[in-house]
Amino acid sequence: PLEAAERELLTAWFAKNDGAFQEGRRLLIEAAAKPDCRFPPSEVDGTAVDANTALRMQMSAQLLVTHARLKGDGASMAAELAMSRALRSDPSLFPQLVACGMDKVAADCLRSADLAAPSVAEALDRLDPSSPRRGYERALLGEALVIGEKALGSPPDRLAAGAYVEALSEFARLSTRPHAEVRLEIDALARQHGTFAPAYAAESKRLIPALPRLTETAVEAESRLSMLRLASSLSRHRALTGAYPAALGVDSPPDPFTGRPFDYRTEGSGFVLESAGPPSKGTRVAWSFTGP
């Protein structure tokens, strides 16, 4: 939440820069709404194009969401979600993590928006909750390809790269399945290719132990997007019938951490959705949504 002094300073900044900001906002929303929106890769034919693409998109998204917090502008928050979707076209791990962070901020802000509003509901209908996991899979395979290309030198380099590529490929294979089914396999892989990897596999020993947490980050983003779409559906049900449903429908998306339905209950003028949350944190993720 913004404090009074922060709100005053930000309001003054947006008033001073209103013309440039409104033009930039219009272009970002227009681009993010296009189904084939893509951000430029960091390299084309081996030549660096813009190594800071992910960070620039993150800063643009933060600008949108800050304005949205000041004005209650659901369209800007929905545009941030679309921008994170487009950022996932980059087949490397860093943009995937940035996109997951953008999803979290936008989803947290959208909890207080009118999720039944046409512009917001339309944007949420375009969301694919499985996109964080699929983007993460592509990034793992992309990292494996880059490492493989760099290891065309001496045989020892190829041996170490082969171990690393094998580990990344195994993680990519498991990332396509529900996290509830593969969590123990992921932990076992991290020990096999990280802690207990051969001495020559230095890259694997250094990086592979972090992959279970990175996998959880992608699954947590999937959970948030699923809850956001579900919340929009519940809000539209209330707009049509005057009340939230007593229970979730049988076709509701499952919590990717458990494979079972999200916990749901009505509360006051709104409702609460709960996910089991990442096992490593040991805490549930509860979101309260307020009614209009």
Side-chain angles (χ1 to χ4, degrees), residues 46-173:
T47 302
V49 175
D50 181 4
N52 295 315
T53 294
L55 289 177
R56 290 186 180 198
M57 292 306 100
Q58 184 181 32
M59 288 187 284
S60 298
Q62 287 172 337
L63 190 63
L64 283 178
V65 84
T66 301
H67 182 261
R69 284 188 173 184
L70 285 173
K71 305 294 184 180
D73 175 17
S76 289
M77 289 183 270
E80 178 175 11
L81 289 172
M83 291 166 65
S84 69
R85 175 199 67 206
L87 192 56
R88 288 194 171 95
S89 64
D90 191 316
S92 52
L93 286 172
F94 177 67
Q96 307 305 318
L97 296 176
V98 172
C100 288
M102 289 163 61
D103 285 340
K104 181 180 185 301
V105 172
D108 282 341
C109 290
L110 278 167
R111 283 185 301 164
S112 58
D114 181 3
L115 299 180
S119 61
V120 177
E122 181 182 352
L124 296 183
D125 282 343
R126 289 198 298 266
L127 284 179
D128 177 5
S130 67
S131 62
R133 198 151 36 107
R134 290 191 287 104
Y136 177 63
E137 177 198 7
R138 287 197 304 272
L140 288 171
L141 294 174
E143 296 284 345
L145 177 62
V146 170
I147 292 295
E149 288 181 339
K150 289 181 177 179
L152 297 178
S154 64
D157 289 338
R158 289 199 294 273
L159 194 63
Y164 189 47
V165 169
E166 179 184 356
L168 291 174
S169 300
E170 286 293 306
F171 273 96
R173 177 182 61 81

Side-chain angles (χ1 to χ4, degrees), residues 235-246:
S235 296
R236 280 179 271 185
H237 183 279
R238 184 186 192 279
L240 288 173
T241 67
Y244 295 113

Side-chain angles (χ1 to χ4, degrees), residues 258-276:
T258 63
R260 299 189 299 273
F262 290 103
D263 288 341
Y264 163 75
R265 66 181 183 274
T266 57
E267 192 172 272
S269 64
F271 60 91
V272 175
L273 285 173
E274 283 189 327
S275 164

